[in-house]
């Protein structure tokens, strides 16, 4: 394994970011009840939790295990499900009462059928949770009735107690092999064999430490030629010394011929071994949690070693949160790992180490039940393979960062040229079924179909190859989805671009059909999807639009239409929608004799185009899609201006005047002039006014002519009844100018007066004689000096006037003279 064998600090130091894988995107999406992809839903009003599915050997009948019910359904050629019989298998009132007394919710106490297997040609075997007290029963397959006359068998070790716990079961030679929990609390996991026959005894795992560690059972498979049964599950990997519990995915094997030891391992498995399934790319963290596993039998002529196991894995690491990976393992690689060396568990230190002493026997080899006690003790201590099973070609089959897959099914499809393709059916937790084909360059998801309305915790996915349907069991009912939908593709280009190995273009009938129904040659390119190498549309493209519902809206045989007419008004925002025929196609817009400039047009993520309607943006538009080197026209538009009786188009050279209906036919446009009269100001010269226009016309003219001068002097003239009326006048600022000038003159005069007064006082103080103890004649009082400095006398001021009534009328207040007429006083120097 690629993990370092260091302490738990090793995991915290891992900073490798997941590498870039080809993230497959579904080409087409079909919502629930879409006419482009019809599915059948069997959901009777009194049937719930139809999560356990079983097909008869001839695949004509589908048996369903639901809540308190067993169903028998007939499957027709088109995937339709028809009810044959219904069996009621409900707990008694006492069973329900005992379940409630145990503290369980009433919704969890019914009987949820979790095991439904065919025993032989006449009988089936079913087990259910039965109010947290598992029970099992036999069913007559031909009459589809419960076998009476005996007490129902106890289901401990065959079926889980809790309906939410996962389990797995398979029958081989009339014997039941199960992986589940064997106690009420779910703490005793066990892999066991029941209904043993032919000299066999029922077996289970030994209680040896480390055989199973908190497992979650996923599925099981039987390889008849190997005489082995394989179990797939996830558990805690104690061989890694991390602080946190590290989950690993496992494959375990037991031999169908195992009969337990004579003294050691009596009624216990002597052939149980397990190994790790490593779904990991080079240099990345592993996808270590197994979600589902399916078996793909080898093709005709191949050996059993070519059997493949396709599994869905998720990750417990935050760097891979929300991602799913698909890995494929070969039976040949699994057998090689089980034939190698094994780890040894030191019971004193509880540490796993690789055994270095001589290998006594090969653990997991069939026939060990007759071995000696020394050999069985070696097997009992050595059951974990030293190496991990790596995926085929040591790489991931596919990775999805947008979808969390929960179930998987696989089949091989052979085309007319004897080439085989593997098709995977992947069920997402959100209720979508993905159909994907494996190619040399990667995975191509042909389509996704919504089959469930809400996420489900317990689901079952089953494939009927003879009927050509995928069956999905859920809490909502049973959904039947045909594996192909070739008639949806209405042209040769669409049929080839789909790259569906089921579908081919029939040139004689000019339809896309299932290749098994086509007589003669057909056109198909699953590997490349190259239209130009197959179809004539590459040389003569036509418009093949489709609506959002998924059905075709145009015939590929008809010529291209002139375009859908879109009537708009000038300066109106125009939105043109383009249909999406494929998520893999790149949509773009084109104009005839013009280009789509990013300064004018805006193309959105949904493929629509938005722009402002102007004379230059009117005309024809084409939406085209380019996919895999082929370009096709999806839709055409013709954008024209609305014909309005009150609005004429505006051109930059000749602006039009908006007129009423009575004056629209006037040959000339009236112009109005106006004189501005202001008191004691010269009369300005009259200006010629612009004609009145609508707001849109004014904006257009302004934008085209770049008129920016004298916007304040522009006058608007309204037209009503043929007479123009004045709407605005040019403002005048003459009075404001006079007031400002007078104030400025007063301020300058005040400053000059103060300066002259100070000079006069300074001159008089130098020439006048001084009398001790007396004040000189004409000298200013302290109050006057304070007033000249701009300060208030001791008495203060009220509302800008002095409080001293004996003050001179020429006293300054706040730096200005308070004279009677506001002029400067006559003060001699």
């Amino acid at each position: 394994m690629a993990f370092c064998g260091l302490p738990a600090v090793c995991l915290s130091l891992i900073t490798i970011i997941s590498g870039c894988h080809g993230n497959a995107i579904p080409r087409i999406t079909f919502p629930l009840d879409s006419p482009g992809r019809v599915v059948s839903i069997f959901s009777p009003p009194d049937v719930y939790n139809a999560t356990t599915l079983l097909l008869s050997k001839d695949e004509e009948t589908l048996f369903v295990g639901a809540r308190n019910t067993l169903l028998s359904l007939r499957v027709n050629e088109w995937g339709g499900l028809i009810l044959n019989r219904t069996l009621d298998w409900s707990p008694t009132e006492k069973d329900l009462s005992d379940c409630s007394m145990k503290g369980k919710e009433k919704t969890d106490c019914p009987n949820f059928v979790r095991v439904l297997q065919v025993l032989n040609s006449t009988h089936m075997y079913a087990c259910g949770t039965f109010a947290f007290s598992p029970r099992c029963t036999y069913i007559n397959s031909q009459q589809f009735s419960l076998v009476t006359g005996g007490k129902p068998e106890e289901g401990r070790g065959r079926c889980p107690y809790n309906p939410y716990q996962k389990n797995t079961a398979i029958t081989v030679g009339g014997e039941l092999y199960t992986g589940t929990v064997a106690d009420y609390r779910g703490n005793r996991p066990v892999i066991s064999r029941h209904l043993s026959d032919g000299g066999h005894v029922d077996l289970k795992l030994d209680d040896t430490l480390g055989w199973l560690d908190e497992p979650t059972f996923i599925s099981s498979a039987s390889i008849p030629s190997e005489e082995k049964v394989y179990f797939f599950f996830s558990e805690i990997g104690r061989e890694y010394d991390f602080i946190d519990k590290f989950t690993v995915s496992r494959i375990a094997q037991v031999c169908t011929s195992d009969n337990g030891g004579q003294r050691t391992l009596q009624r216990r498995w002597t052939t149980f071994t397990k190994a790790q399934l490593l779904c990991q790319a080079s240099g990345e963290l592993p996808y270590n949690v197994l979600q589902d596993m399916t078996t793909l039998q080898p093709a005709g002529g191949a050996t059993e070693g070519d059997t493949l196991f396709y599994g869905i894995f998720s990750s417990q690491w935050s760097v891979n949160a929300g991602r799913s990976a698909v890995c494929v393992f070969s039976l040949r690689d699994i057998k090689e790992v089980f034939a190698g060396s094994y780890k040894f568990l030191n019971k004193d230190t509880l540490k796993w180490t690789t055994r270095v002493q001589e290998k006594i026997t090969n653990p997991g080899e069939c026939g060990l039940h007759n071995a000696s006690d020394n050999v069985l003790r070696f097997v009992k201590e050595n059951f974990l393979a030293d190496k991990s099973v790596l995926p085929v070609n040591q790489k991931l089959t596919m990775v999805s960062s947008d979808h969390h897959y929960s179930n998987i099914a696989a089949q091989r499809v052979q085309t007319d040229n004897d080439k085989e393709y593997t098709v995977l059916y992947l069920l997402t937790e959100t209720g979508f079924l993905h159909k994907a084909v494996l190619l040399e360059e990667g995975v191509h998801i042909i389509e996704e179909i919504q089959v469930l309305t809400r996420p489900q915790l317990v689901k079952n996915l089953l494939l009927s190859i003879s009927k050509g349907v995928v069956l999905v069991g859920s809490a909502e009912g049973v959904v039947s989805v045909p594996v192909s939908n070739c008639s949806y593709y209405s042209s040769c280009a669409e049929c080839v671009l789909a790259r569906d190995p089921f579908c081919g273009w029939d040139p004689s009938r000019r339809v896309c059909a299932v290749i098994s129904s086509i007589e003669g040659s057909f056109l198909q390119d699953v590997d490349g999807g190259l239209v130009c190498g197959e179809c004539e549309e590459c040389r003569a493209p036509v418009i093949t639009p489709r609506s959002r519902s998924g059905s075709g809206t145009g015939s590929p045989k008809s010529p291209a239409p002139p375009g859908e007419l879109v009537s708009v008004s000038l300066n109106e925002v125009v939105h043109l929608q383009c249909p999406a025929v494929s998520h893999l196609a790149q949509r773009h817009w084109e104009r005839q004799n013009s280009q789509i400039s990013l300064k004018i047009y805006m193309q959105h993520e949904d493929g629509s185009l938005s722009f402002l309607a102007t004379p230059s943006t009117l005309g024809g538009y084409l939406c085209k899609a380019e996919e895999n080197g082929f370009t096709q026209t999806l839709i055409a538009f013709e954008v024209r201006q609305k014909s309005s009786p009150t609005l004429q188009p505006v051109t930059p050279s000749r602006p039009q005047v908006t007129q009423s209906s009575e004056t629209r036919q006037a040959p000339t446009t009236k112009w109005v002039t106006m004189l501005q009269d202001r008191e004691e100001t010269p009369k300005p010269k009259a200006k010629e006014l612009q004609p009145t226009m609508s707001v849109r016309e004014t904006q257009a003219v302004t934008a085209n002519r770049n008129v920016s001068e004298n916007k304040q002097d522009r006058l608007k003239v309204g037209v009503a009844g043929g007479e123009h009326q004045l709407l605005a006048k040019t403002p005048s600022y003459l009075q404001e100018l006079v007031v400002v000038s007078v104030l400025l003159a007063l301020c300058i005069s005040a400053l000059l007066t103060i300066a002259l007064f100070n000079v006069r006082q300074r001159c008089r103080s130098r020439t006048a004689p001084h009398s001790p103890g007396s004040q000189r004649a004409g000298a200013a009082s302290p109050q006057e000096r304070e007033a000249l400095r701009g300060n208030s006398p001791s008495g203060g001021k009220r509302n800008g006037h002095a409080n001293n009534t004996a003050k001179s009328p020429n006293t300054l207040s706040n730096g200005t003279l308070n004279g009677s007429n506001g002029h400067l006083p006559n003060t001699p120097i």
Side-chain angles (χ1 to χ4, degrees):
M1 180 167 178
F3 276 103
C4 51
L6 298 177
V9 182
C10 172
L11 186 59
S12 62
L13 296 178
I14 293 179
T15 57
I16 301 175
I17 305 300
S18 295
C20 297
H21 297 282
N23 187 25
I25 301 175
R27 183 177 181 271
I28 302 177
T29 300
F30 296 99
L32 197 65
D33 299 330
S34 171
R37 196 66 155 93
V38 179
V39 299
S40 301
I41 302 177
F42 178 81
S43 181
D46 54 345
V47 176
Y48 308 94
N49 300 95
T51 56
T52 303
L53 305 181
L54 174 66
L55 271 174
S56 60
K57 187 175 181 180
D58 57 5
E59 297 187 353
E60 294 288 338
T61 306
L62 175 67
F63 301 103
V64 180
R67 186 174 70 182
N68 297 332
T69 309
L70 292 166
L71 305 173
S72 173
L73 307 177
R74 182 164 56 90
V75 184
N76 59 26
E77 292 294 334
W78 303 103
L81 302 176
I82 302 174
L83 179 63
N84 289 333
R85 293 288 301 275
T86 301
L87 286 179
D88 179 72
W89 192 25
S90 303
T92 63
E93 291 296 333
K94 185 180 182 302
D95 294 328
L96 296 176
S97 177
D98 293 342
C99 180
S100 299
M101 291 295 293
K102 297 176 183 178
K104 301 302 179 180
E105 297 289 339
K106 291 184 178 180
T107 55
D108 300 336
C109 288
N111 181 27
F112 294 88
V113 180
R114 300 302 303 274
V115 175
L116 187 59
Q117 292 291 320
V118 175
L119 288 180
N120 47 47
S121 59
T122 59
H123 288 82
M124 294 189 301
Y125 194 73
C127 298
T129 59
F130 217 87
F132 278 80
S133 180
R135 306 282 178 85
C136 297
T137 186
Y138 292 91
I139 302 173
N140 189 313
S141 303
Q142 297 177 351
Q143 300 177 1
F144 196 68
S145 60
L146 298 178
V147 176
T148 59
K151 183 179 179 181
E153 297 184 1
E154 184 182 3
R156 186 176 64 175
R158 311 177 189 188
C159 175
Y161 287 72
N162 194 323
Y164 301 104
Q165 287 179 329
K166 292 186 176 182
N167 70 301
T168 181
I170 188 173
T171 54
V172 179
E175 298 175 330
L176 180 67
Y177 295 80
T178 62
T180 183
V181 291
D183 65 328
Y184 177 80
R185 297 182 179 273
N187 297 328
R188 289 184 56 194
V190 62
I191 293 177
S192 55
R193 182 176 67 191
H194 306 273
L195 310 179
S196 299
D197 194 12
H200 288 174
V201 295
D202 290 351
L203 299 178
K204 63 179 181 179
L205 285 179
D206 188 69
D207 295 331
T208 302
L209 181 66
W211 280 40
L212 292 175
D213 199 337
E214 301 180 27
T216 300
F217 294 101
I218 301 300
S219 66
S220 51
S222 171
I223 307 298
S225 63
E226 299 290 328
E227 296 184 352
K228 290 183 179 180
V229 175
Y230 293 96
F231 293 88
F232 301 94
F233 56 95
S234 295
E235 67 173 354
I236 303 301
R238 300 294 180 182
E239 65 268 31
Y240 301 104
D241 190 11
F242 295 152
I243 295 178
D244 296 331
K245 292 182 178 181
F246 175 52
T247 303
V248 295
S249 298
R250 303 284 198 198
I251 178 173
Q253 68 171 8
V254 293
C255 291
T256 58
S257 61
D258 197 343
N259 211 22
Q262 298 295 329
R263 289 178 296 272
T264 303
L265 296 178
Q266 289 186 10
R267 292 185 176 272
R268 301 292 187 267
W269 293 108
T270 62
T271 56
F272 174 82
T273 55
K274 64 180 181 179
Q276 181 179 358
L277 296 172
L278 187 58
C279 183
Q280 179 184 18
S282 177
E284 296 184 11
L285 292 173
Y287 293 87
N288 56 320
V289 182
L290 180 63
Q291 300 294 333
D292 194 21
M293 183 72 72
T294 187
T295 305
L296 184 62
Q297 299 296 333
T303 62
E304 291 287 349
D306 295 327
T307 302
L308 300 178
F309 301 97
Y310 285 87
I312 297 175
F313 296 82
S314 61
S315 177
Q316 73 179 98
W317 317 111
S318 58
V319 69
N320 289 332
R323 299 164 64 95
S324 290
V326 176
C327 283
V328 55
F329 305 92
S330 68
L331 180 60
R332 183 178 292 103
D333 294 337
I334 294 173
K335 293 172 59 178
E336 182 179 350
V337 170
F338 280 135
S341 59
Y342 282 77
K343 295 181 182 295
F344 172 74
L345 178 62
N346 190 326
K347 296 182 181 179
D348 296 330
T349 61
L350 298 180
K351 300 292 184 181
W352 288 89
T353 58
T354 302
R355 181 178 287 275
V356 294
Q357 63 263 34
E358 182 181 358
K359 186 176 181 181
I360 297 179
T361 186
N362 183 23
E365 183 178 355
C366 296
L368 291 177
H369 57 281
N370 294 322
S372 64
D373 292 344
N374 186 31
V375 172
L376 293 181
R377 280 193 294 269
F378 178 85
V379 171
K380 186 176 179 179
E381 295 176 352
N382 298 264
F383 52 86
L384 177 60
D386 184 45
K387 293 184 179 180
S388 301
V389 182
L390 301 179
V392 175
N393 299 326
Q394 299 186 10
K395 66 178 182 179
L396 309 182
T397 302
M398 69 172 291
V399 176
S400 175
S401 59
D402 301 325
H403 306 281
H404 198 187
Y405 295 123
S406 60
N407 297 81
I408 185 173
Q411 76 172 120
R412 284 189 173 91
V413 180
Q414 186 173 3
T415 60
D416 191 50
N417 55 1
D418 294 334
K419 188 171 184 179
E420 288 186 343
Y421 296 94
T422 300
V423 177
L424 301 180
Y425 304 95
L426 304 164
L427 187 63
T428 69
E429 289 188 347
T430 56
F432 282 85
L433 181 66
H434 286 191
K435 175 185 171 183
V437 57
L438 304 184
L439 306 174
E440 293 181 358
E441 68 273 13
V443 177
H444 171 65
I445 301 182
I446 303 170
E447 57 187 354
E448 65 172 357
I449 308 106
Q450 185 179 4
V451 295
L452 303 176
T453 58
R454 57 186 176 88
Q456 305 284 319
L457 291 178
V458 181
K459 296 179 289 289
N460 199 336
L461 190 64
L462 202 60
L463 176 64
S464 174
I465 297 180
S466 62
K467 297 296 182 181
V469 293
V470 179
L471 302 169
V472 181
S474 69
E476 301 176 3
V478 182
V479 181
S480 175
V481 184
V483 296
S484 63
N485 189 33
C486 303
S487 60
Y488 169 77
Y489 308 109
S490 58
S491 66
C492 178
E494 286 291 319
C495 190
V496 172
L497 287 174
R499 304 171 74 175
D500 191 335
F502 289 98
C503 303
W505 181 257
D506 187 353
S508 60
R509 295 184 297 166
R510 300 189 61 84
V511 293
C512 188
V514 180
I515 57 176
S516 59
S517 65
I518 300 177
E519 298 180 0
S521 61
F522 57 88
L523 305 179
Q524 184 190 61
D525 188 5
V526 179
D527 292 313
L530 300 178
V531 177
C532 293
E534 302 291 338
C535 305
E536 60 183 7
E537 280 97 335
C538 186
R539 297 177 292 275
V542 295
I543 295 181
T544 56
R546 290 187 182 273
S547 63
R548 294 183 180 271
S549 62
S551 60
T553 59
S555 173
K557 302 177 184 179
S558 60
E564 298 184 14
L565 180 62
V566 179
S567 300
V568 298
S569 302
L570 292 181
N571 293 328
E572 176 184 347
V573 178
V574 183
H575 295 282
L576 301 181
Q577 298 292 336
C578 183
V581 294
S582 170
H583 297 308
L584 304 180
Q586 299 294 329
R587 287 174 288 179
H588 64 276
W589 290 84
E590 294 182 2
R591 289 199 63 186
Q592 299 177 355
N593 303 325
S594 181
Q595 294 182 351
I596 302 294
S597 174
L598 297 179
K599 297 180 180 179
I600 303 177
Y601 299 91
M602 179 181 296
Q603 185 169 349
H604 305 279
E605 294 183 356
D606 60 353
S608 61
L609 185 70
S610 299
F611 56 92
L612 192 66
T614 62
S616 61
T617 58
L618 300 178
Y621 292 85
L622 296 177
C623 180
K624 296 186 176 182
E626 192 276 331
E627 180 180 0
N628 209 15
F630 173 72
T631 302
Q632 60 178 331
T633 301
L634 303 180
I635 195 169
F637 290 99
E638 181 69 23
V639 181
R640 297 179 182 177
Q641 183 183 359
K642 291 181 181 179
S643 56
S644 175
T646 59
L647 184 64
Q648 299 294 332
V650 178
T651 57
S653 58
R654 293 188 61 183
Q656 300 292 327
V657 180
T658 303
Q659 301 177 357
S660 62
S661 58
E662 292 85 356
T663 61
R664 191 177 302 111
Q665 302 300 327
T668 59
T669 303
K670 296 183 180 180
W671 299 85
V672 180
T673 60
M674 163 184 170
L675 296 178
Q676 303 286 335
D677 294 334
R678 295 291 181 183
E679 186 177 357
E680 296 181 356
T681 58
K683 296 181 179 180
K685 186 177 180 180
K687 293 186 178 181
E688 188 176 15
L689 302 181
Q690 295 286 345
T692 299
M693 294 177 288
S694 65
V695 176
R696 293 180 178 175
E697 291 175 314
T698 304
Q699 292 177 350
V701 174
T702 303
N704 294 329
R705 299 184 59 184
N706 297 324
V707 180
S708 61
E709 65 274 12
N710 299 328
K711 291 184 179 180
Q712 294 83 357
D713 297 336
R714 183 173 301 165
L715 301 178
K716 299 180 181 180
V717 179
V719 181
E723 297 181 358
H724 296 274
Q725 297 179 356
L726 185 62
L727 297 179
K729 296 182 179 181
T730 304
S732 176
Y733 302 100
L734 180 60
Q735 293 181 355
E736 289 81 354
L737 180 61
V738 173
V739 173
V740 172
S741 300
V742 171
L743 292 177
L744 181 61
L746 290 175
C747 293
I748 295 175
S749 300
L751 292 175
L752 291 176
T753 302
I754 293 172
L756 292 176
F757 185 79
N758 289 335
V759 172
R760 175 176 176 274
Q761 291 298 332
R762 199 175 292 113
C763 293
R764 290 187 63 182
S765 63
R766 294 178 181 176
T767 57
H770 294 272
S771 297
S774 64
Q775 198 177 33
R776 63 180 177 84
S781 64
Q783 290 81 3
E784 291 174 333
R785 286 196 295 270
E786 290 296 331
L788 290 175
R789 295 191 184 99
N791 297 327
S792 301
S794 59
K797 294 187 291 183
R798 181 170 58 238
N799 298 330
H801 298 284
N803 293 333
N804 191 355
T805 57
K807 192 173 180 180
S808 172
N810 294 332
T811 303
L812 290 173
S813 176
N814 292 334
T816 56
L817 294 174
N818 292 332
S820 60
N821 53 7
H823 297 285
L824 291 174
N826 251 336
T827 305
I829 299 177

